Amino acid sequence: MRGTELRRTAFIPFFPESDSLSPPLTYSRRETTLHSPLMCLNLPTFLNVMEAPKPENAERKTLDDRQKMTDLERLRHSAAHVMATAIARLWPDAQFASGPAVENGFYYDVELEHRITPEDFPAIEAEMKKEIKANHVFEKLIVTREQAFADAQKGRLGALAERPAPSKFKIGNLADIPEGEPISYYKSGDFIDLCAGPHVMRTGNIGAYKLTTVASAYYKGDEKNPQLQRIYGTAFKNKTQLDEYFKMQEEAKRRDHRKIGAEMGLFVLDAEFVGPGMPLWLPKGTVLVEELEKLAKETEFAAGYVRVRTPHLAREKMYKTSGHLPYYAESMFPPMELDEMETEREELTSRLRQAELKVGEFVDGVMTKDSGKGGAIFEVSEDGSLQRSGPFLVKALDGLKRDYSIPPAVEAAADEFRRLKPKFDSLPPIDRYFLKAMNCPHHHRIFAAEPRSYRDLPLRLAEYGTCYRYEQSGELFGLMRVRSLNMNDAHIYCTEDQFASEFKAVNDMYLKYFKIFGLEKYQMRFSTHSKEGLGKKYVNEPELWLKTEDMVRRVLNESGINYVEVANEAAFYGPKIDVQVWSAIGREFTIATNQVDFAVPAKFGLTYRDRDNQDKTPLCIHRAPLGTHERFIGFLIEHYAGNFPLWLAPDQVRVLPVTDAQMDYAQGIVNELRGQQVRVELEFSNDKLMGRIQRAEERRVHHILVVGQREQEANNVALRIHGQGQQGVKPRAEVVAEILAAIRERKA
RNA sequence: GCCGGUGUAGCUCAGUGGUAGAGCAUUCGAUUCGUAAUCGAAUGGUCAUCGGUUCAAAUCCGAUCACCGGCUCCA
């Protein structure tokens, strides 16, 4: 924000010391009417100054949206009402907030003195059973806004009867309903709730239900609001479907990547020495990482990409230029600071601070005497924030000179400030290095490293870049959400004319990968900007946004990609496509992302010389079809339940001689396969064959070759495939050839 | 970051104020064995960390850290 000569000033009572040499503290905006040069603001307390801005209103579903609820969602939403009824019977003073249907069931948020635990579930479920047995009709009542407020005041909403305390959250919900929208209740038995519906006809239609967990959530999702208990449950038409759901949950638990990762020795998370969210890849896990890299490198090479390598660090200027710093700073590790003038800086800082304090104290004192109130003086900058800088205080002191006599010590402090400030300002800035949270800025500098012609485009720079993101501690989750990550990253610089075909090629690459990994269900989420966010959440280029989004939409339509469009979720520099895939057991994962960037190349001043001899800014496509190794491998572990196809399997082949008379024969097979880059080992421990097979199966060794005297004599092997049992005895050469082919073709 | 839960051997878990346990894994010994577990022995723990209560703490209390389930965020 640019400063002006005409500063405005505020006098805030009871404010602590300031520090003008660290970045100025900024306080939220306040409506003020001010006159110059100095004046008093009569703010009742300091706390009022700290009032936070109102959070953006969460998007509200329109009535039309609600009518689109599926039958299952209606049933679950109705189950939420029934659960609330049951809770209200057990704890009549419960205050309900909202209770929607969600992906796997429903929840209801409730404020209640009693802390609900899973031990309470049987009692709640028993009450629910009564409600369902009674088969109440879900009755819709249209009421006036006044009526609704009156009932809420009487505590009647989200309740079985009127209560002494008002239904406070329902009052809050009412306030969010736009003028003109009809207000309705749903009544089932004694329970009346403020609700837009829709519901099933009768409580008896809720076939099968079960409470699952209890968690906490803020009212309306805002951490400044009261914290509520969120009781989760799920419901289905019938018991069979409910049982299937829980079976699937069990299966997901069995396939949990953390569990299988530990069993197979793929990775460890060493929070104590390495840090939370920073996986160490063990040898078996590294196999997965490197096989994926190999796949991506081959695929990208064939598609005309070139590979680059960049360091893990970059100077502050990089991220200031890219614009990541203001938008993204919270997600980056704090910078490493190199300061060659550290001693001088500290010395000057301390002397300036002392001088400033002295001046500030005097000015505050004068103001206090004038106003009769204790407090401190501030300048109000153009954006309404309050600041208190040294130069400002010295200037304020000058303003007082006409009417007040300044003590010599204060004058001396002001002089010292005037003398040292320029010195301080002329110190070279502190050199700050950031761990990179993304690779694009480095790649932009590679683009900038040489003059570029339109003949060089499209330029596709690919890198397995390691990035570091400071995810909040509560976000970390196994491999799925980490702080150090490896991205299958690339940036495609192209002209507008090339955009459509490049973007289509990227999509085709996704589809190719899906096929290799046997992903049958996928969806692309096309995230676009919102007008309101321009200049805040999004770079302020309204026309470019529309134009780019239109290009993307056209390609998606033309190539018949399965996608949905979501407004207001784009990246700050352009529209984004998140790729969602569903694992073999039907769980959804957001695996990759694909972004169009029309803003950052310009910030870096990237240009190419076009046919017409003009310099033009390229478009940039950010794409990472395999996302991060961490998340992708986490996903694959669940998808395959750890039973990777041969080409990916950390243990591809294990040869088991029946007795040590076959050791040489077995060793020969091992040598042959190892010579062909196959991950094979020989096992001859003290255990019986049965035991060794058991262990090989447990370790998920893909091919188990048993060789006894019979096989050795005929130059055969007895083949066993993990999870598929014995495959019979085959000629050694045939088995070796099959193994090599399956690996080469990346057979599923 | 916020709320709640959990933390005992490498893994899975017993142990409710009175001398830290089991199975598997590991190591050693015996067994030479034909398709999902041979037998025996040994090793292994500051009971997450720090502090408090107590004659006595894995056990009770507090703080911190990590993990888990959510919220917010996100690849």
Side-chain angles (χ1 to χ4, degrees):
Chain A
M1 211 45 66
R2 196 173 50 88
T4 60
E5 277 311 298
L6 259 181
R7 302 264 187 200
R8 296 182 299 174
T9 305
F11 184 64
I12 309 292
F14 311 118
F15 193 75
E17 292 171 3
S18 79
D19 172 4
S20 72
L21 299 174
S22 32
L25 297 166
T26 307
Y27 302 99
S28 62
R29 182 184 208 114
R30 263 212 79 93
E31 295 280 319
T32 52
T33 48
L34 296 168
H35 45 86
S36 63
L38 299 175
M39 72 147 298
C40 293
L41 256 185
N42 284 324
L43 298 178
T45 66
F46 164 58
L47 278 179
N48 275 0
V49 187
M50 295 290 285
E51 259 177 4
K54 247 193 147 176
E56 282 173 58
N57 230 345
E59 284 144 62
R60 240 185 127 260
K61 270 194 180 157
T62 65
L63 290 183
D64 278 350
D65 290 339
R66 297 191 69 107
Q67 287 307 320
K68 285 181 203 148
M69 265 197 208
T70 63
D71 290 350
L72 186 58
E73 283 169 335
R74 274 171 205 241
L75 185 148
R76 285 170 171 177
H77 180 49
S78 302
H81 276 232
V82 169
M83 179 177 77
T85 312
I87 292 172
R89 287 226 186 279
L90 295 167
W91 299 280
D93 58 338
Q95 287 286 352
F96 292 96
S98 50
V102 289
E103 196 184 344
N104 289 316
F106 61 86
Y107 66 79
Y108 218 121
D109 284 346
V110 57
E111 187 183 72
L112 184 60
E113 188 87 20
H114 171 77
R115 198 149 273 292
I116 295 178
T117 69
E119 282 160 31
D120 297 317
F121 289 174
I124 300 171
E125 285 167 349
E127 286 296 327
M128 289 174 74
K129 195 171 181 184
K130 289 183 203 161
E131 286 298 307
I132 288 170
K133 209 156 183 199
N135 205 13
H136 298 301
V137 174
F138 277 100
E139 214 179 321
K140 183 174 185 175
L141 309 166
I142 302 284
V143 294
T144 63
R145 189 169 285 263
E146 292 68 35
Q147 174 73 45
F149 271 110
D151 286 335
Q153 281 302 337
K154 285 184 265 178
R156 184 64 186 94
L157 300 186
L160 301 165
E162 292 184 2
R163 299 178 298 177
S167 306
K168 54 181 176 177
F169 301 119
K170 297 296 175 184
I171 293 175
N173 289 359
L174 265 169
D176 284 348
I177 301 178
E179 284 298 333
E181 194 175 295
I183 293 176
S184 61
Y185 294 165
Y186 271 85
K187 179 174 185 302
S188 51
D190 297 331
F191 187 76
I192 296 182
D193 203 355
L194 174 72
C195 176
H199 280 277
V200 292
M201 292 296 291
R202 292 176 160 273
T203 55
N205 295 0
I206 301 164
Y209 59 93
K210 194 164 174 53
L211 303 193
T212 48
T213 54
V214 49
S216 79
Y218 298 106
Y219 179 51
K220 291 184 188 173
D222 185 333
E223 59 181 279
K224 286 173 200 73
N225 284 338
Q227 194 134 28
L228 307 172
Q229 303 186 54
R230 176 167 292 183
I231 323 295
Y232 279 92
T234 191
F236 287 90
K237 258 187 215 126
N238 54 53
K239 181 95 172 38
T240 319
Q241 288 178 8
L242 183 78
D243 290 345
E244 263 170 35
Y245 169 75
F246 281 104
K247 233 187 249 163
M248 201 274 267
Q249 293 294 102
E250 279 303 303
E251 185 61 19
K253 222 168 156 187
R254 215 176 55 77
R255 291 175 178 233
D256 189 310
H257 76 278
R258 293 161 300 185
K259 189 172 174 275
I260 293 181
E263 274 169 26
M264 296 181 72
L266 302 179
F267 63 93
V268 289
L269 287 160
D270 179 357
E272 194 183 354
F273 282 79
V274 184
M278 299 201 268
L280 294 174
W281 288 105
L282 304 176
K284 305 278 185 201
T286 304
V287 165
L288 296 173
V289 174
E290 295 195 344
E291 284 295 341
L292 289 180
E293 277 190 19
K294 208 171 7 168
L295 169 66
K297 284 177 180 172
E298 286 171 19
T299 309
E300 284 159 10
F301 181 83
Y305 288 63
V306 289
R307 304 205 73 80
V308 293
R309 305 192 66 129
T310 62
H312 293 196
L313 295 176
R315 291 176 120 170
E316 185 174 29
K317 182 169 185 179
M318 182 80 106
Y319 301 107
K320 275 190 166 166
T321 306
S322 69
H324 280 106
L325 265 188
Y327 286 95
Y328 211 84
E330 271 182 23
S331 300
M332 295 175 76
F333 276 86
M336 283 160 252
E337 299 195 332
L338 304 178
D339 186 3
E340 295 195 347
M341 306 298 283
E342 197 179 348
T343 332
E344 290 86 338
R345 202 183 302 274
E346 274 172 12
E347 161 85 21
L348 284 171
T349 304
S350 124
R351 285 168 68 184
L352 281 167
R353 190 168 293 161
Q354 272 171 24
E356 190 185 306
L357 276 175
K358 188 120 201 156
V359 173
E361 217 173 278
F362 177 75
V363 176
D364 290 343
V366 170
M367 296 305 301
T368 299
K369 230 163 107 195
D370 270 15
S371 67
K373 289 182 185 204
I377 185 171
F378 282 88
E379 78 184 306
V380 181
S381 62
E382 268 180 60
D383 64 357
S385 65
L386 297 178
Q387 302 182 3
R388 181 177 164 91
S389 68
F392 162 73
L393 291 172
V394 170
K395 208 177 205 178
L397 183 74
D398 289 341
L400 293 176
K401 270 186 186 157
R402 258 175 301 149
D403 306 322
Y404 300 87
S405 66
I406 313 295
V410 174
E411 193 55 68
D415 280 344
E416 167 145 286
F417 187 89
R418 287 190 197 98
R419 195 166 52 80
L420 295 182
K421 189 67 173 50
K423 262 194 186 167
F424 180 83
D425 289 342
S426 67
L427 286 176
I430 298 172
D431 206 3
R432 291 195 179 85
Y433 284 84
F434 285 83
L435 274 167
K436 68 177 173 186
M438 66 291 297
N439 300 305
C440 26
H442 284 84
H443 289 185
H444 293 337
R445 292 305 297 162
I446 288 180
F447 186 96
E450 296 174 55
R452 304 288 178 184
S453 143
Y454 73 95
R455 293 171 196 275
D456 299 329
L457 302 187
L459 179 67
R460 309 181 189 91
L461 301 180
E463 175 176 19
Y464 261 100
T466 306
C467 297
Y468 300 85
R469 295 185 182 175
Y470 190 76
E471 302 291 352
Q472 295 180 48
S473 60
E475 321 294 351
L476 301 175
F477 172 63
L479 288 180
M480 293 297 177
R481 212 44 198 283
V482 292
R483 285 184 175 162
S484 71
L485 42 106
N486 271 273
M487 272 198 290
N488 165 222
D489 209 359
H491 296 92
I492 302 171
Y493 300 86
C494 63
T495 68
E496 256 178 53
D497 293 344
Q498 291 165 338
F499 177 80
S501 68
E502 285 304 310
F503 190 69
K504 184 169 182 314
V506 168
N507 284 329
D508 289 346
M509 194 180 283
Y510 279 99
L511 298 178
K512 188 181 162 180
Y513 286 135
F514 295 164
K515 207 168 161 199
I516 291 175
F517 295 107
L519 304 180
E520 278 150 19
K521 190 176 168 196
Y522 76 91
Q523 184 175 64
M524 306 228 178
R525 275 172 72 90
F526 174 34
S527 303
T528 55
H529 79 299
S530 74
K531 257 194 199 145
E532 298 72 43
L534 284 172
K536 285 175 261 169
K537 207 168 150 190
Y538 309 119
V539 291
N540 199 2
E541 299 273 6
E543 279 135 52
L544 269 172
W545 274 104
L546 292 174
K547 190 165 134 193
T548 323
E549 284 168 4
D550 199 52
M551 286 197 287
V552 173
R553 205 175 286 116
R554 247 194 343 257
V555 176
L556 286 172
N557 285 330
E558 278 166 17
S559 42
I561 296 268
N562 174 27
Y563 79 99
V564 288
E565 191 165 328
V566 217
N568 199 19
E569 285 192 13
F572 79 84
Y573 45 67
K576 149 178 122 165
I577 290 110
D578 286 313
V579 182
Q580 294 172 292
V581 294
W582 277 262
S583 76
I585 54 166
R587 288 216 311 167
E588 184 268 325
F589 291 80
T590 298
I591 219 73
T593 189
N594 187 0
Q595 296 165 0
V596 185
D597 180 352
F598 51 75
V600 185
K603 293 187 180 189
F604 277 89
L606 303 188
T607 56
Y608 63 94
R609 183 64 55 90
D610 207 351
R611 282 183 182 77
D612 56 9
N613 205 26
Q614 299 289 307
D615 284 336
K616 294 181 185 166
T617 306
L619 278 176
C620 177
I621 301 172
H622 305 235
R623 42 107 283 168
L626 302 179
T628 70
H629 283 329
E630 288 73 15
R631 185 174 288 186
F632 196 75
I633 290 173
F635 163 77
L636 286 182
I637 291 172
E638 168 170 323
H639 183 60
Y640 290 121
N643 303 317
F644 298 103
L646 186 60
W647 70 276
L648 265 176
D651 290 299
Q652 291 177 315
V653 182
R654 187 172 288 187
V655 184
L656 311 186
V658 176
T659 73
D660 50 11
Q662 292 86 45
M663 281 294 268
D664 288 347
Y665 180 59
Q667 187 66 56
I669 298 171
V670 167
N671 292 347
E672 180 180 356
L673 288 169
R674 207 150 257 282
Q676 301 285 339
Q677 304 296 307
V678 177
R679 297 182 285 273
V680 54
E681 41 193 54
L682 173 70
E683 205 226 291
F684 188 74
S685 61
N686 280 337
D687 294 305
K688 288 187 165 172
L689 184 61
M690 285 279 271
R692 287 185 279 150
I693 283 170
Q694 163 90 21
R695 247 198 325 282
E697 290 281 1
E698 274 173 355
R699 293 306 299 258
R700 297 177 165 86
V701 177
H702 198 286
H703 271 48
I704 300 163
L705 309 185
V706 177
V707 290
Q709 194 184 347
R710 296 196 294 270
E711 286 76 21
Q712 178 171 0
E713 281 166 4
N715 205 24
N716 282 341
V717 296
L719 175 63
R720 180 185 176 98
I721 293 181
H722 170 58
Q724 297 173 37
Q726 293 186 62
Q727 307 291 309
V729 177
K730 296 180 177 189
R732 164 180 170 172
E734 189 182 308
V735 170
V736 168
E738 276 173 13
I739 289 170
L740 295 178
I743 293 172
R744 195 174 51 243
E745 293 160 21
R746 297 197 169 94
K747 255 168 77 175

